[in-house]
Amino acid sequence: MAEAEVGDDVKGEDPTVNDLQKTAAEMFGMEAALFVPSGTMGNLIAVMAHCRDAPLAGVHATTVTTRPDGSFDLKQLESKIRHGYPDPHYPRSRLICVENTHNIQGGRVLPLHFLQDVRALADQHGLALHMDGARVMNAAVAQGVPVAAILQHVHTASVCLSKGLGAPVGSVLAGPQDFISRAVRCRKALGGGMRQAGIIAAAGKLSLQEMVGRLEEDHHNVKTFAQALIDCQPPLFAVDMAAVETNILRFRVEDPTLSPEEFCARMGQVGEGEEAALGQGIQVLMYPHVENSIRAVWHLGISPEDTQLAIQKMQFVASQHLKGKVETQ
């Protein structure tokens, strides 16, 4: 990053940014790409560029019910498409959006045949298909395919360079050349045009070229921790191992006397007697999540050794909770 050659990216003159965009487009199997500060901005730009008569807040969104594997029913999707345009009483359906991997469902990978079916439906109705690919590299590694094999089924995609890939900041929005030309204008309107952005683009390029293969380590660490939850005695946790596919883990505490909030609080602080029992204090950050579950995420900064420490901490918290229950009975 310190040695990056920089220029004015607003004018398209930052060579490192240009190189990153070219590298990303080739990797994604797209005509062009655009470097943006965040995945949120990348997705918003995509909506703006696709839905040209709806700048900023003028887009009306409607949702479908997500299945446990991150997919959804195509008949329900089709029922949401408005067919009344140009009748002035109806909005015009323009865009379908999907997320891969699916965050709320615990990092689930969208099946390729599902994406193919969604694309066929989009083409049938003349709609664009955009992917929020915040963790699409995790999906590619889990499926054992190049990322272009996934993105061939969508018109455009936003791909995060941070998260598991380890860059400090930034995402890449990719798609056809005319789409990216519109996206540049949208990025400017949102305040996303940056000067000398090559400093952060250099890290993003390294992420794409050097960090994708190591995502498999994150996936392995997640499965290791998930198995430890299952093996905890007496049983305290519920985990669906078939749903553990990438770097996100969702699990539940089966004991109603230990809430997700309380479990996460105990994991995040050094408890009484912990240093004596474990030889050190261990703090593990987890998050109380939807449907009374707990969310834990692995990334570049969490090693196999850290995972073993997290397992020790989980076992300590579980034993202390069970000990406390026995003492109060």
Side-chain angles (χ1 to χ4, degrees):
M1 294 169 70
E3 297 173 353
E5 185 180 358
V6 300
D8 189 345
D9 183 45
V10 173
K11 296 181 179 179
E13 297 174 352
D14 190 302
T16 307
V17 172
N18 293 340
D19 194 24
L20 167 64
Q21 293 171 162
K22 182 175 182 293
T23 298
E26 291 174 352
M27 180 179 289
F28 302 163
M30 300 285 190
E31 290 182 359
L34 181 68
F35 183 52
V36 294
S38 70
T40 300
M41 181 180 286
N43 289 323
L44 177 56
I45 289 172
V47 171
M48 291 172 64
H50 280 299
C51 308
R52 306 179 206 181
D53 59 347
L56 296 182
V59 173
H60 296 269
T62 185
T63 60
V64 294
T65 304
T66 305
R67 293 167 171 163
D69 67 352
S71 67
F72 45 80
D73 183 74
L74 296 185
K75 290 184 179 179
Q76 185 186 25
L77 170 63
E78 191 168 25
S79 73
K80 302 283 186 172
I81 299 173
R82 298 298 187 98
H83 302 284
Y85 184 86
D87 186 318
H89 297 92
Y90 294 92
R92 183 179 184 178
S93 294
R94 284 186 179 270
L95 179 65
I96 299 171
C97 296
V98 296
E99 181 189 26
N100 197 14
T101 62
H102 198 286
N103 178 16
I104 297 299
Q105 297 297 355
R108 297 304 299 270
V109 179
L110 297 185
L112 293 177
H113 64 83
F114 169 74
L115 292 175
Q116 187 175 5
D117 291 343
V118 177
R119 174 60 181 268
L121 184 63
D123 290 344
Q124 177 185 340
H125 292 283
L127 305 179
L129 176 57
H130 173 74
M131 178 178 288
D132 173 357
R135 294 160 299 277
V136 71
M137 291 302 190
N138 292 89
V141 169
Q143 293 176 317
V145 300
V147 69
I150 297 175
L151 299 184
Q152 66 177 324
H153 300 298
V154 301
H155 295 94
T156 61
S158 176
V159 180
C160 282
L161 304 172
S162 57
K163 296 185 169 68
L165 293 183
V169 64
S171 289
V172 175
L173 177 64
Q177 183 62 62
D178 62 336
F179 167 83
I180 294 299
S181 297
R182 297 195 302 274
V184 171
R185 294 182 62 86
C186 296
R187 184 183 67 174
K188 180 69 172 176
L190 293 174
M194 298 177 285
R195 317 289 182 181
Q196 290 78 51
I199 293 174
I200 51 177
K205 183 180 177 183
L206 180 70
S207 292
L208 287 179
Q209 295 182 329
E210 304 292 340
M211 308 304 288
V212 176
R214 65 149 305 278
L215 293 176
E216 189 172 354
E217 179 180 307
D218 294 339
H219 300 177
H220 177 75
N221 288 338
V222 172
K223 289 181 173 64
T224 298
F225 188 85
Q227 188 61 52
L229 290 172
I230 293 174
D231 294 340
C232 183
Q233 293 297 329
L236 183 61
F237 305 99
V239 183
D240 179 5
M241 284 299 292
V244 182
E245 296 181 319
T246 55
N247 67 319
I248 300 177
L249 173 65
R250 277 184 63 194
F251 63 96
R252 290 177 175 80
V253 181
E254 295 284 73
D255 188 337
T257 66
L258 181 60
S259 69
E261 291 77 12
E262 177 64 20
F263 177 78
C264 292
R266 293 188 185 185
M267 290 292 289
Q269 62 192 21
V270 178
E272 181 179 353
E274 178 177 336
E275 293 180 344
L278 303 181
Q280 62 181 311
I282 303 170
Q283 294 175 282
V284 181
L285 301 182
M286 295 181 175
Y287 188 76
H289 204 38
V290 297
E291 300 176 351
N292 208 39
S293 67
I294 296 167
R295 179 178 187 261
V297 181
W298 274 252
H299 52 80
L300 175 64
I302 308 299
S303 67
E305 292 75 21
D306 294 327
T307 302
Q308 290 300 321
L309 290 175
I311 290 173
Q312 292 179 34
K313 179 59 176 272
M314 174 272 294
Q315 293 169 339
F316 176 78
V317 169
S319 66
Q320 291 296 100
H321 171 68
L322 295 172
K323 179 181 177 182
K325 284 190 65 176
V326 171
E327 292 176 349
T328 55
Q329 289 177 352

